[in-house]
């Protein structure tokens, strides 16, 4: 990692320290000390980026020193980082397509009125754009609302779609924690009228398939139901106008203890203490599905609610189907999961990592070793979700009435899952050393040997490269008329190119080439294995295991 990258991470980390201290209303002297450290780090970064330590020196036309950096909350990715990200995207797409999904694309910005009022308290994080030609637009906050707009506008009755694209949030970034202002989401959604919980459980199965394939380590998928949660608020006595605000507070229980969440409810959001305490008795329940369902069914005041009955019936089906799909061991029924977005109407879920020393099964065959009733240790769950989603049956209906002259509303029920690529990328990348990551797809490097002062085999290397490209083999060669032999070998090593085709005057005269394994350094093939030039392509395809 470069010095500049390290400084950027230090600035982000120190910025988080300052924000946390301010949020906690820490002692002013302590805050000032940490702010001074942050300013010193920013100055170092400014200088490292080519800025001048003496601000009195020349400045740009704007009157400010030009600082070469990415905008706050965004990140450049190196070729090796992009190789890892491309692999992640490819893995996720392969799972989506295995389940029959098709892909679409939508604009990076939407009409502002499409987005407002869909994200609860998080609506303040929407990026608004300047008025252009009489339209007020905003950058998309997620891929779900644009999808619902797409379904309504195109009058689609059913579709199983995936979408990989960037979204934007005017949040306080913390790049080291994977929280950014520009980031990718990978969404999988099923829209249409189907029997209860069948698409829902498949979305969770998709999440489990993806996370197992990516080998992110131990994870658990927390599930809950908005109707059960709404019933809890109802029987606890939460005023209707405070439901979403209190729901947002409850959703913080994976990051903060109940005492802090209770304080937010009562002191910041004006909820009566007795009501908060009643909520606390419910939302701290979690564990295996059937165990939690039994506890909920044993609460007469909750079961008196029609909403709770509907939600519990749904969840009973969900866990029955989850057992058939072999994913029960990855799922925890967690009453604290709330998901703050306003559009959720049914099941909600969130995949989170667990501590490295507490690994859940990562392969289907391990399920037999773990009893169905074994509880997930919730105390081991690490903060930070890597995938989340749920059912949103009314979002399309919000838009569909616009498409009908008589204002007829047509609901298209939907359920989906979204993967947080930035956090997944951080995990996958941390498990690999720089030396093991291959940034290019090159399979063969064409090398010429001989007296570099007198011999030039450039055109022969070019002919061989063209032949390899025509055969579908990714190939490169040195862009020098007379390259040094060692420089060519070094190029293979640095780019992790597994095979080389080697030529010299002798090989050209004999109509042969030498094929050398550059990855394994086989002793008996130290100088390469001679093969007729006419057999070169067939020999390489066999070694590359190409059809």
């Amino acid at each position: 990692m470069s010095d500049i990258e390290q400084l950027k991470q230090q600035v982000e980390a120190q910025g988080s320290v300052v924000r946390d201290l301010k949020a906690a209303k820490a002692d002013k002297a302590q805050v000032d000390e940490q702010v001074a450290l942050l300013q010193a780090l920013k100055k170092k970064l400014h200088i490292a980026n080519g800025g001048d330590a003496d601000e009195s020196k020349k400045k740009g036309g704007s009157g400010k020193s030009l600082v070469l950096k990415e905008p706050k909350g965004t990140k450049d990715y190196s070729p090796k980082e992009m190789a890892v990200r491309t692999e992640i995207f490819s893995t996720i797409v392969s799972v989506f397509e295995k389940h029959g999904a098709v892909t679409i694309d939508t604009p990076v910005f939407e009409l502002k009125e499409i987005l407002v009022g869909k994200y609860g308290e998080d609506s303040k994080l929407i990026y608004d754009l300047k008025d252009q030609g009489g339209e007020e637009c905003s950058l998309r906050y997620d891929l779900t609302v644009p999808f619902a707009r797409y379904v309504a506008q195109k009058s689609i009755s059913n579709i199983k779609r995936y979408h990989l694209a960037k979204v934007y949030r005017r949040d306080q970034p913390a790049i080291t924690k994977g929280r950014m202002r520009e980031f990718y989401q990978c969404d999988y959604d099923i829209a249409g009228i189907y029997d209860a919980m069948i698409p829902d459980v498949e979305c969770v199965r998709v999440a489990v398939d993806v996370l197992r394939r990516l080998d992110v380590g131990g994870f658990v998928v927390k599930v809950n139901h908005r109707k059960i949660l709404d019933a809890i608020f109802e029987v606890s006595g939460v005023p209707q106008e405070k439901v979403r605000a209190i729901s947002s507070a409850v959703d913080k229980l994976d990051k903060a203890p109940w005492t802090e969440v209770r304080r937010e409810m009562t002191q910041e959001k004006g909820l009566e203490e007795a009501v908060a305490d009643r909520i606390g008795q419910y939302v701290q329940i979690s564990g295996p599905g059937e165990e939690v369902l039994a506890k909920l069914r044993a609460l007469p005041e909750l079961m008196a609610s029609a909403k709770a009955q509907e939600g519990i019936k749904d969840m009973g089906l969900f866990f029955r189907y989850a057992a058939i799909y072999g994913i029960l061991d990855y799922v925890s029924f967690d009453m604290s999961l709330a998901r703050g977005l306003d559009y959720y109407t049914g099941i909600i879920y969130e995949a989170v990592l667990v501590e490295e020393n507490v690994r859940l099964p990562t392969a289907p065959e391990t399920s037999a070793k773990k009893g169905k009733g074994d509880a997930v240790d919730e105390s081991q769950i690490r903060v930070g979700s890597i995938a989340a989603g749920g059912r949103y049956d009314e979002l399309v209906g919000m838009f569909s009435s616009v498409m009908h002259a008589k204002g007829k509303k047509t609901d298209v029920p939907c359920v989906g899952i979204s993967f947080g690529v930035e956090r997944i990328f951080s995990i996958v990348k941390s498990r690999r050393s720089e030396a093991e990551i291959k940034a290019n797809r090159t399979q063969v490097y064409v090398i010429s040997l001989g007296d570099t002062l007198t011999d030039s085999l450039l055109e022969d290397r070019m002919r061989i490269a063209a032949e390899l490209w025509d055969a579908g083999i990714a190939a490169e060669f040195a862009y020098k008329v007379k390259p040094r032999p060692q420089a060519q070998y070094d190029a293979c090593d640095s780019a992790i190119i597994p095979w080389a085709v080697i030529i010299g005057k002798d090989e050209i005269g004999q109509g042969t080439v030498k094929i050398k394994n550059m990855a394994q350094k086989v002793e008996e093939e130290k100088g390469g294995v001679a093969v007729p030039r006419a057999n070169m392509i067939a020999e390489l395809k066999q070694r590359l295991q190409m059809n």
Side-chain angles (χ1 to χ4, degrees):
M1 182 184 298
S2 69
D3 291 342
I4 290 177
E5 286 297 322
Q6 288 181 339
L7 279 170
K8 286 179 181 178
Q9 290 195 4
Q10 290 171 11
V11 168
E12 289 292 339
Q14 186 64 23
S16 295
V17 170
V18 171
R19 286 190 292 274
D20 291 344
L21 286 173
K22 288 181 177 179
K25 299 181 179 178
D27 179 70
K28 185 177 184 300
Q30 185 182 3
V31 174
D32 289 345
E33 179 184 356
Q34 296 302 319
V35 168
L37 288 173
L38 176 60
Q39 290 173 342
L41 285 169
K42 285 183 175 180
K43 187 174 182 180
K44 284 184 181 180
L45 178 59
H46 173 57
I47 295 169
N49 272 313
D52 201 321
D54 183 358
E55 292 297 331
S56 65
K57 293 189 177 181
K58 289 185 178 180
K59 296 183 177 182
S62 64
K64 295 182 180 180
S65 296
L66 177 63
V67 178
L68 294 178
K69 63 182 288 291
E70 311 101 308
K72 187 177 182 181
T74 66
K75 187 183 183 308
D76 291 329
Y77 293 97
S78 70
K80 288 200 171 188
E81 288 175 322
M82 282 306 299
V84 175
R85 290 171 70 81
T86 300
E87 181 184 325
I88 290 170
F89 289 137
S90 177
T91 300
I92 292 173
V93 167
S94 70
V95 174
F96 290 168
E97 291 182 343
K98 181 178 72 175
H99 285 263
V102 296
T103 191
I104 66 167
D105 195 15
T106 61
V108 73
F109 52 89
E110 295 276 346
L111 295 178
K112 184 176 179 179
E113 60 186 336
I114 296 290
L115 302 181
V116 295
K118 312 300 189 303
Y119 303 108
E121 292 187 340
D122 286 343
S123 289
K124 62 182 182 290
L125 303 181
I126 294 174
Y127 263 113
D128 291 333
L129 303 176
K130 287 185 178 180
D131 188 331
Q132 295 289 333
E135 289 187 338
E136 288 190 45
C137 297
S138 300
L139 292 177
R140 60 187 173 205
Y141 178 91
D142 67 3
L143 301 179
T144 305
V145 172
F147 171 60
R149 189 266 305 156
Y150 176 90
V151 170
Q153 182 180 340
K154 311 297 182 186
S155 299
I156 294 169
S157 59
N158 61 75
I159 186 174
K160 186 187 293 186
R161 85 85 170 86
Y162 70 88
H163 191 182
L164 279 64
K166 287 182 177 181
V167 298
Y168 300 85
R169 297 184 183 179
R170 196 166 50 84
D171 201 353
Q172 280 300 330
I175 290 178
T176 54
K177 297 180 181 178
R179 188 169 69 243
M180 305 176 72
R181 288 179 169 176
E182 177 192 63
F183 56 96
Y184 266 96
Q185 283 189 339
C186 298
D187 281 22
Y188 171 94
D189 293 80
I190 302 172
I193 299 174
Y194 302 102
D195 289 338
M197 305 311 290
I198 300 173
D200 310 64
V201 75
E202 183 165 349
C203 285
V204 177
R205 171 63 197 250
V206 165
V208 171
D209 284 355
V210 166
L211 298 177
R212 284 198 303 220
R213 285 275 306 275
L214 291 173
D215 192 25
V216 296
F219 66 90
V220 61
V221 182
K222 297 181 179 183
V223 297
N224 198 2
H225 201 292
R226 282 303 285 263
K227 287 183 179 178
I228 299 175
L229 200 58
D230 287 346
I232 287 172
F233 294 149
E234 191 176 277
V235 301
S236 297
V238 178
Q240 187 58 40
E241 67 273 12
K242 291 183 182 290
V243 166
R244 286 297 173 252
I246 299 304
S247 177
S248 179
V250 168
D251 200 40
K252 296 174 183 174
L253 276 170
D254 65 333
K255 306 177 185 69
W258 166 248
T259 52
E260 286 188 25
V261 172
R262 184 183 184 279
R263 183 193 60 77
E264 180 181 333
M265 288 180 176
T266 55
Q267 296 182 22
E268 296 180 22
K269 298 184 174 176
L271 193 67
E272 293 181 14
E273 291 189 356
V275 174
D277 290 337
R278 284 196 289 272
I279 292 171
Q281 294 175 2
Y282 292 107
V283 297
Q284 296 181 79
I285 299 173
S286 65
E290 290 302 328
E291 181 181 306
V292 172
L293 283 171
K295 288 180 181 179
L296 297 178
R297 288 172 180 139
L299 299 171
E301 69 281 6
L302 184 64
M303 294 307 295
S305 165
K307 287 182 181 177
Q309 291 175 22
E310 290 175 22
I312 289 170
K313 180 181 178 182
D314 277 351
M315 295 309 290
L317 273 177
F318 172 83
F319 286 109
R320 178 179 174 182
Y321 297 154
I324 295 171
Y325 279 155
I327 58 173
L328 270 185
D329 294 336
Y330 295 92
V331 178
S332 173
F333 197 171
D334 191 329
M335 302 307 299
S336 72
L337 180 64
R339 302 291 298 147
L341 303 181
D342 279 358
Y343 51 65
Y344 287 122
T345 58
I347 189 173
I348 49 180
Y349 31 79
E350 184 173 75
V352 296
L353 295 181
V354 299
E355 296 293 348
E356 291 297 324
N357 61 346
V358 182
R359 292 179 63 86
L360 293 180
T362 54
E365 61 268 24
T366 58
S367 297
K369 301 176 184 177
K370 181 177 169 72
K372 295 287 188 225
D374 289 354
V376 174
D377 185 356
E378 293 288 335
S379 68
Q380 299 297 326
I381 291 177
R382 180 189 299 159
V383 173
S385 69
I386 50 178
R391 174 160 287 280
Y392 51 103
D393 285 348
E394 299 170 3
L395 188 56
V396 173
M398 291 183 186
F399 301 129
S400 65
S401 59
V402 179
M403 302 302 298
H404 296 83
K406 295 181 180 180
K408 182 182 177 182
K409 178 178 176 180
T410 305
D411 283 331
V412 180
C414 301
V415 63
I417 182 82
S418 179
F419 294 86
V421 173
E422 311 312 329
R423 284 177 175 167
I424 291 173
F425 167 72
S426 297
I427 298 157
V428 175
K429 175 76 163 46
S430 69
R431 292 169 175 261
R432 302 183 187 181
S433 69
E434 286 288 313
E436 353 181 83
I437 301 173
K438 182 173 168 60
N440 60 72
R441 299 293 180 91
T442 307
Q443 299 163 300
V444 177
Y445 200 88
V446 184
I447 296 174
S448 62
L449 301 180
D451 185 345
T452 58
L453 295 177
T454 59
D455 299 335
S456 174
L457 301 176
L458 171 62
E459 293 183 7
D460 296 284
R461 284 183 285 130
M462 294 176 75
R463 289 189 190 95
I464 291 173
E467 192 176 339
L468 294 171
W469 296 332
D470 290 342
I473 297 173
E476 288 187 80
F477 61 92
Y479 293 168
K480 291 277 189 181
V481 174
K482 297 176 181 178
R484 291 185 299 107
Q486 190 57 50
Q488 297 174 85
Y489 286 122
D490 290 345
C492 285
D493 290 339
S494 64
I496 319 178
I497 299 173
W499 295 94
V501 168
I502 303 171
I503 57 172
K505 275 193 169 183
D506 291 344
E507 283 74 26
I508 296 299
Q510 297 166 9
T512 63
V513 297
K514 287 183 178 177
I515 296 176
K516 180 174 172 60
N517 187 327
M518 302 299 291
Q520 297 179 0
K521 312 290 185 185
V522 180
E523 186 62 30
E524 54 268 27
E525 298 182 9
K526 193 169 183 180
V529 176
V531 300
R533 171 69 182 275
N535 296 345
M536 177 184 69
I537 296 298
E539 185 70 24
L540 280 170
K541 284 192 170 184
Q542 182 179 349
R543 294 183 180 228
L544 291 166
Q545 297 182 334
M546 295 174 63
N547 294 328

